[in-house]
Amino acid sequence: MSGLLIRPRIRPRVAVVLVYTAAMCMNGLDSTIVNPALYTIAGDFGRPLSAANTVETAFLVALAVGLPVAGWLGDRFGTKRVFLGALTAFTIASAVCGLAPDLTTLVVARAVQGLAGGLLTPVGMTLLFRAFPPHERMKLAKVLIVPTALMPALGPPLGGLLTEHLSWHWLFFVNVPIGTAAVLLGLFGLREHVEGPEGKFDTVGFWLATPALGLLTYALGFGPSQGWTRPAVAVSAALGSVLLVAAVLHQVRAGTPLLRLRLLADRVYGPASALAGVTAAGLMGVLFVFPLLYQASLGASALDAGLSVFPEAVGLMLASQVVDRLLPRLGPRLLTVPALVVAAAVFATLAVPGVAENAWSVRGLMFLIGLVLGTAVLTVQISGFATIAPSDMGQAMGLFQIVRTLGGAVGIAACAAVIGGGHVTEAAADPGPYRTAVWVTAALVAAGALIALRLPREAPQPPPFDDEDTPPPGEEPAAAEAPVVRG
């Protein structure tokens, strides 16, 4: 009977790239695709715009809650099992979002999406980086740029296009066929890897870090629009801050912490993680404020607002073609510092009076942002994990994503606070606050250039690795090591 079953043979590394790209594109798009549609969603459900904002905030809060435990779950239960389980949940939640009959259902389904997305990103990158040894990861530039930087840039124009010509429901329906195909491909093509975490689960660290990240993300999401002194926001910010400090102190002292903060002491990974947070703050901030500027101050449609940032995606794609060639020659520091300086200057130019009102000026500057900031982001992602041991990869990915996610939330909250609310109304037509918000993002990127000075001058040179389909050290079972389960 078993002989009648035909199992397609798919090269594991090809499967990893395809499944990772599909899943991360869904997750990356969903972080920004809803922004241009919030006006329409609020109108359809007969709710105020401030209530519709919970659609985005629920996603971000749940995303932050899922991140701390992602590394441990992948090590304990296997990266393939956890990744495909999260991808299945994300796909089902997307269908529920598209079918939502009311705002409450939509918000709950978005929270499930966010929770699954919080597991997807670090576990997915762990799968990818375990399949490719350090000296081959520069080839991944063309893969990494798509979900981590290109998809958030494509989210606003695609969201505006679908909202205007179909309906906002299709913002979520598009995930269903892609997610289903990725799950099926992953079942046959991915290899299982169970690292086997040392010691017991860090229960104390979990109950400190998880609510801390959720509460802080909630405060950052609602503080600008509802006021920082509102009890729910103020209590969330204060309690989240206390829990975060307690979580850090516990993680440093614990024998087997939930989050291995010691990894931040690594000479490459530490600065790279800090840079990920700062660049995410600048990028997500400008992607947030510019569509709002076009809609509220310039009277543009949702589609026009999204298209205003689309050229950035073209620049990002061009950056992905050159980073793998430039990084070995120039090294992380020399490639990243000038890129961030130029990016900060371009951000600042967007805030000059008259520039934002010229569509072609905006398109050209957005292209430059994608080119130079994309170069820096890719360099950080590729070089930041070169010195991380395979056994630490899951933990390093989880910590990296936590820093980047919080950085993005801080960038959006900072811009929202400057313009006077989480989302603007038609009455808020003065472009002054928007320009000030863009200056804030420029300052964040400029600060990143200072952090980049800590990156090493030379690109790390790990030992060669020959077999294309053999996993890196730690993948294969060994007599004295934790077992590796093949699926």
Side-chain angles (χ1 to χ4, degrees):
M1 189 72 181
S2 61
L4 298 177
L5 297 176
I6 300 176
R7 177 172 176 168
R9 174 166 176 76
I10 305 169
R11 293 177 63 186
R13 289 170 66 167
V14 173
V16 167
V17 170
L18 292 177
V19 175
Y20 168 85
T21 302
M24 294 301 101
C25 282
M26 293 164 56
N27 202 19
L29 269 177
D30 273 39
S31 66
T32 58
I33 196 172
V34 180
N35 278 343
L38 287 176
Y39 288 95
T40 305
I41 292 173
D44 283 359
F45 289 133
R47 303 292 297 274
L49 197 57
S50 58
N53 189 33
T54 58
V55 174
E56 277 300 272
T57 306
F59 180 84
L60 294 174
V61 170
L63 185 75
V65 168
L67 286 171
V69 76
W72 187 89
L73 286 175
D75 288 346
R76 173 65 178 81
F77 297 104
T79 47
K80 174 182 177 179
R81 186 177 293 112
V82 172
F83 183 79
L84 293 182
L87 182 56
T88 300
F90 191 97
T91 304
I92 294 173
S94 296
V96 175
C97 284
L99 297 170
D102 51 53
L103 187 61
T104 300
T105 304
L106 179 58
V107 170
V108 172
R110 278 291 278 174
V112 175
Q113 269 192 320
L115 187 62
L119 301 179
L120 274 178
T121 306
V123 177
M125 288 191 72
T126 302
L127 279 169
L128 190 69
F129 274 42
R130 278 179 175 155
F132 291 83
H135 72 284
E136 293 185 352
R137 289 175 193 162
M138 285 179 287
K139 302 175 184 178
L140 297 177
K142 300 173 183 63
V143 176
L144 290 172
I145 197 68
V146 175
T148 59
L150 179 61
M151 286 300 108
L154 286 178
L158 182 59
L161 181 67
L162 292 175
T163 301
E164 285 195 8
H165 295 283
L166 292 174
S167 75
W168 63 263
H169 302 274
W170 283 95
L171 304 180
F172 307 104
F173 285 148
V174 292
N175 290 333
V176 177
I178 299 173
T180 302
V183 169
L184 293 175
L185 177 60
L187 286 173
F188 291 108
L190 295 182
R191 282 172 166 158
E192 185 60 284
H193 180 101
V194 181
E195 185 66 41
E198 300 176 1
K200 297 187 299 182
F201 178 69
D202 183 12
T203 306
V204 174
F206 173 79
W207 288 113
L208 290 175
T210 300
L213 293 175
L215 289 168
L216 287 174
T217 306
Y218 174 88
L220 289 170
F222 282 108
S225 59
Q226 298 184 1
W228 295 102
T229 58
R230 183 177 178 181
V233 174
V235 171
S236 296
L239 184 57
S241 299
V242 171
L243 289 175
L244 183 63
V245 172
V248 170
L249 293 176
H250 170 77
Q251 302 297 321
V252 171
R253 298 172 182 173
T256 55
L258 181 69
L259 300 171
R260 297 175 194 168
L261 298 183
R262 62 175 176 79
L263 294 172
L264 295 174
D266 184 272
R267 66 183 182 88
V268 181
Y269 176 78
S273 297
L275 269 174
V278 173
T279 54
L283 178 62
M284 296 303 290
V286 82
L287 289 179
F288 167 84
V289 74
F290 236 86
L292 293 178
L293 171 61
Y294 261 60
Q295 285 182 274
S297 291
L298 304 181
S301 66
L303 177 58
D304 290 336
L307 290 174
S308 70
V309 298
F310 175 75
E312 184 202 12
V314 181
L316 289 168
M317 292 300 293
L318 182 58
S320 70
Q321 304 300 313
V322 300
V323 167
D324 58 338
R325 299 182 181 91
L326 295 177
L327 183 55
R329 301 175 184 176
L330 301 179
R333 186 191 304 172
L334 190 56
L335 189 56
T336 304
V337 173
L340 291 175
V341 170
V342 174
V346 175
F347 273 51
T349 303
L350 286 171
V352 174
V355 173
E357 287 76 10
N358 186 306
W360 283 106
S361 295
V362 171
R363 291 165 189 161
L365 292 171
M366 283 294 175
F367 171 80
L368 287 176
I369 288 175
L371 181 63
V372 293
L373 193 59
T375 298
V377 168
L378 277 173
T379 302
V380 167
Q381 283 191 300
I382 294 170
S383 61
F385 294 89
T387 55
I388 297 296
S391 59
D392 285 332
M393 190 61 69
Q395 286 281 340
M397 287 296 179
L399 190 57
F400 187 85
Q401 296 303 327
I402 288 173
V403 173
R404 188 164 66 179
T405 300
L406 282 179
V410 168
I412 292 173
C415 290
V418 170
I419 64 178
H423 289 282
V424 293
T425 64
E426 294 180 359
D430 179 14
Y434 300 103
R435 293 195 179 108
T436 303
V438 175
W439 276 108
V440 171
T441 63
L444 289 169
V445 175
L450 297 177
I451 299 174
L453 293 172
R454 295 182 54 202
L455 291 173
R457 188 182 300 273
E458 302 292 335
Q461 297 294 328
F465 194 76
D466 297 325
D467 189 354
E468 179 179 55
D469 278 326
T470 303
E475 277 289 282
E476 295 291 354
E481 297 177 353
V484 176
V485 183
R486 299 291 178 200

